[in-house]
Amino acid sequence: MIRQKVTYIIGHRNPDTDSVVSAMAYAVFKSRTEEGVFIPARAGKLNPQTEYILNRLGLTPPEFISDLIPKVDFFMTSPADTLADDTSLWEALQELEKTGHKMLPVVGSDGTYKGALHYNAFARNMMQYISPDRATRVPTSLRYLAEALQAEVVLEKERDVIFKSRMLVAAMEKEAFRAYLDKEKPEEAVVIVGNRRDIQALSIERGVRVLIITGGKALDADLTEEARKKKVSVLVSPYGTARTSWLAMYSSPVESAADFSLEPVKMRDPIRKIKERLNRSVSRCLPVTDEENRLIGVLSQGDILREPHIELILVDHNESGQAVEGVEHYRIREIIDHHRLGNMHTDDPITFINRPVGATATLIASLFFREGVSPDEKTAALLLAGILSDTVILQSATTTDEDRTVAASLAEICGLSVEAFGQEIMKASSRLEGRSCDEILDADLKYYQAGEIRFSVSQAEVISTPNLLRRKEEMQKRLEERCRRDGLLFSALMVTDIVALNSYLMIAGDPLLIGMIGYPFAEEGVFSLKGILSRKKQLVPYLMELVKKYG
């Protein structure tokens, strides 16, 4: 069964509040306006502000996707056709032919993967049974024999007990067969004979385990009674002796012909890691199991040639450098963003919404209102939080009249005060006590590219700057390490005071470029950005101009 496509709605790496809530709210919108499966996702750890908002609203965080490098999960067939381990080999082969699969996994009653049936494994199994050099014992049971032969059960004993059988075809005179039969253990003997009363009587007299009468001929009443006394099970096969003998070889449990060397793969295994194993497998198929070894799907060569089961909608970014790793492997259906145009490439035309507003949440909310779809209270509160976070309670230079109008409408739906709710979530983001420098720098980090030059700018919002500025030497060291590690021209931290409505800039990197910065120093190593609140609209464009001049 080909799995239904899933559309992940996901924001940028190191997600901020606007990125996360936009993904969550847009998943609600798409689910209410379109058929399909839409799942909100995030490409990084939640920052304290976003965590606070979700906890306050009683909402579960979006699914975390560390990367989108092609994995087994994105291509496999699930649920997969399987064979229960107590299935007869005959029934299993019929299922293999009916489904058209090259391989069928064999599973226990609890879904645990045990092995796989494919034609190569079956052929190896049959070779050991028909080899003239081996006195092979075939594992079977009365039930399996009856199923394989489509036989009438006249007498039965221990119907489901599996035993090692010796299949004996009575194609000789009575005395010759007597000598042949005397060499076998009666409890293992399965005698296949046509309408020959003398052989039938001899087999019953010896107390064989199973007597199979071929050609659909009934056993005489007196012999039936004698077989009952001797506790001999009796089957009547509708087929001739030759075909009955052949079909009896298929009466084993499927496990007897399974390939136990075919090891499963895991959902999260990268395709590149398991591709060689897939190509080496006889059936060009691999079972997929979970951590408890329960079967959850099958991956075939054909699966990885098809499009993956997932598609993407990107929110709050449109640059490949800010997207989750591996995004280029999947079809991007839409992009909704409020940042500058980046370098994202798509193979097909897409829906692309990009307007100069203060938050992506504003664009998502506007879609709700435009389509006449009223967001529920929690979704309205999410969107409001995204707008207030990204616009610093509607005070950032990026704030537009649309942001203010949409925020007011959302506040009315969810019953929250714009100012009070804004102050509440801003306080949550400004609690930096106990957080390491790396946590502060990574919480809201974005990378930028101008030609061949790359740089990064982190942003931290605080209600008081002295505590953070006192850690400038440690911050400077971490910024320098990032420059070296990531091959950046420079790495910066923008510290925004949401009470004083000013920012400060710490920066490490190329001395020539840093020397070009025209802002005054607040103190040694820290630039004062008076009236600057927006990284996107105010600081980054300024830094881009410096990079162009730097050459």
Side-chain angles (χ1 to χ4, degrees):
M1 181 185 296
I2 304 299
R3 294 164 66 194
Q4 182 179 10
K5 279 194 180 290
V6 170
T7 300
Y8 282 104
I9 304 176
I10 189 167
H12 52 73
R13 303 185 200 189
N14 305 302
D16 58 7
T17 294
D18 188 33
S19 174
V20 174
V21 304
S22 292
M24 295 175 70
Y26 199 49
V28 173
F29 175 81
K30 297 295 282 187
S31 297
R32 291 176 62 183
T33 57
E34 287 186 27
E35 293 290 329
V37 179
F38 300 94
I39 299 177
R42 55 189 169 94
K45 183 180 177 182
L46 297 178
N47 66 35
Q49 182 189 74
T50 312
E51 267 188 347
Y52 172 82
I53 292 165
L54 297 185
N55 288 335
R56 187 190 188 286
L57 298 176
L59 294 171
T60 302
E63 180 179 338
F64 171 56
I65 296 179
S66 58
D67 65 72
L68 282 170
I69 293 170
K71 296 180 177 64
V72 169
D73 182 30
F74 303 154
F75 295 85
M76 70 179 188
T77 298
S78 178
D81 293 319
T82 61
L83 297 169
D85 57 1
D86 62 351
T87 304
S88 70
L89 180 56
W90 173 250
E91 186 182 342
L93 288 169
Q94 288 181 312
E95 187 68 17
L96 196 61
E97 182 178 5
K98 183 178 75 175
T99 60
H101 297 315
K102 296 179 179 178
M103 177 273 284
L104 283 174
V106 179
V107 298
S109 57
D110 60 351
T112 302
Y113 170 71
K114 290 193 167 185
L117 178 68
H118 50 78
Y119 289 113
N120 185 271
F122 166 70
R124 287 200 310 267
N125 177 69
M126 291 307 295
M127 282 300 296
Q128 70 176 353
Y129 289 162
I130 65 176
S131 172
D133 301 324
R134 299 179 182 176
T136 307
R137 284 168 171 75
V138 179
T140 189
S141 72
L142 192 66
R143 175 171 76 87
Y144 290 146
L145 281 165
E147 286 179 1
L149 302 175
Q150 299 180 15
E152 175 191 352
V153 180
V154 178
L155 294 174
E156 67 177 8
K157 177 192 174 187
E158 299 178 332
R159 179 177 184 273
D160 295 312
V161 174
I162 296 175
F163 63 98
K164 295 285 187 178
S165 71
R166 285 281 288 140
M167 301 287 181
L168 307 175
V169 180
M172 58 190 76
E173 294 298 326
K174 177 181 176 182
E175 292 308 314
F177 185 68
R178 183 196 302 275
Y180 189 50
L181 184 59
D182 285 345
K183 296 176 183 178
E184 304 295 339
K185 296 177 181 178
E187 66 272 14
E188 294 180 350
V190 175
V191 174
I192 302 171
V193 63
N195 188 22
R196 294 184 58 185
R197 181 179 171 87
D198 57 345
I199 298 292
Q200 295 170 0
L202 174 62
S203 300
I204 293 170
E205 178 191 328
R206 289 290 189 269
V208 300
R209 184 149 190 155
V210 183
L211 177 62
I212 301 174
I213 313 299
T214 63
K217 304 295 185 180
L219 186 65
D220 291 344
D222 61 324
L223 291 181
T224 301
E225 184 56 34
E226 191 63 25
R228 190 189 313 277
K229 292 177 183 177
K230 287 282 192 175
K231 298 182 178 178
V232 174
S233 295
V234 178
L235 301 179
V236 176
S237 167
Y239 307 111
T241 300
R243 189 171 184 188
T244 297
S245 303
W246 183 250
L247 289 174
M249 306 299 287
Y250 294 80
S251 65
S252 299
V254 67
E255 274 190 296
S256 67
D259 180 357
F260 296 100
S261 67
L262 190 62
E263 295 184 1
V265 296
K266 302 300 182 186
M267 291 175 63
R268 304 304 295 172
D269 285 344
I271 293 295
R272 65 171 182 262
K273 176 183 174 183
I274 58 89
K275 202 168 186 179
E276 186 178 346
R277 281 179 56 194
L278 181 62
N279 293 336
R280 286 201 315 264
S281 66
V282 173
S283 61
R284 301 295 189 268
C285 298
L286 293 172
V288 185
T289 61
D290 63 14
E291 297 307 316
E292 282 73 46
N293 202 40
R294 289 189 296 265
L295 188 94
I296 50 179
V298 168
L299 180 73
S300 70
Q301 274 189 334
D303 288 333
I304 63 174
L305 294 177
R306 287 192 289 265
E307 287 189 356
H309 303 308
I310 69 170
E311 296 179 334
L312 302 175
I313 295 175
L314 307 184
V315 294
D316 203 37
H317 69 299
N318 72 91
E319 296 187 56
S320 56
Q322 295 182 12
V324 62
E325 183 182 3
V327 68
E328 68 275 8
H329 296 289
Y330 306 93
R331 179 184 172 228
I332 298 172
R333 291 181 49 173
E334 302 177 33
I335 297 176
I336 303 178
D337 190 25
H338 68 129
H339 296 94
R340 67 174 189 143
L341 291 182
N343 56 352
M344 188 70 71
H345 167 79
T346 64
D347 292 331
D348 304 299
I350 66 169
T351 297
F352 183 73
I353 300 174
N354 182 270
R355 296 211 315 273
V357 294
T360 298
T362 299
L363 301 176
I364 305 295
S366 295
L367 288 172
F368 272 94
F369 298 144
R370 189 184 73 188
E371 297 299 322
V373 179
S374 180
D376 59 85
E377 288 186 12
K378 288 189 176 182
T379 302
L382 271 180
L383 290 166
L384 179 59
I387 295 171
L388 298 180
S389 172
D390 240 29
T391 63
V392 194
I393 322 179
L394 304 176
Q395 296 180 89
S396 169
T398 60
T399 308
T400 66
D401 288 339
E402 184 176 358
D403 296 305
R404 298 183 184 92
T405 301
V406 169
S409 299
L410 293 169
E412 186 175 347
I413 293 171
C414 63
L416 292 170
S417 161
V418 168
E419 184 63 30
F421 188 45
Q423 292 293 342
E424 184 182 338
I425 63 177
M426 286 301 173
K427 285 179 182 177
S429 69
S430 64
R431 295 176 185 138
L432 303 181
E433 298 83 2
R435 296 173 65 192
S436 69
C437 288
D438 287 335
E439 288 176 321
I440 293 169
L441 290 172
D442 292 344
D444 188 3
L445 164 68
K446 290 189 177 180
Y447 288 89
Y448 300 91
Q449 186 151 356
E452 298 298 316
I453 294 175
R454 294 177 69 239
F455 63 93
S456 72
V457 181
S458 302
Q459 186 170 19
E461 294 170 342
V462 299
I463 55 176
S464 176
T465 56
N467 288 338
L468 187 56
L469 295 181
R470 277 197 289 269
R471 302 170 68 180
K472 67 179 181 180
E473 290 183 4
E474 188 181 358
M475 288 291 184
Q476 191 75 16
K477 182 180 178 182
R478 293 291 183 269
L479 291 170
E480 290 170 357
E481 290 173 355
R482 172 161 287 151
C483 278
R484 289 193 297 270
R485 184 185 69 232
D486 296 345
L488 307 176
L489 181 66
F490 64 87
S491 183
L493 170 64
M494 178 183 183
V495 181
T496 300
D497 188 327
I498 59 176
V499 176
L501 302 181
N502 291 314
S503 295
Y504 297 89
L505 182 68
M506 302 180 198
I507 187 168
D510 188 282
L512 178 60
L513 183 130
I514 294 173
M516 296 167 62
I517 296 175
Y519 288 104
F521 284 102
E523 57 183 80
E524 186 179 354
V526 180
F527 291 96
S528 174
L529 311 181
K530 188 173 182 180
I532 302 295
L533 299 178
S534 172
R535 171 177 53 186
K536 175 188 75 174
K537 193 168 183 178
Q538 295 172 298
L539 179 59
V540 170
Y542 175 75
L543 294 174
M544 283 287 187
E545 285 299 319
L546 295 184
V547 169
K548 288 178 184 177
K549 293 176 183 177
Y550 174 86

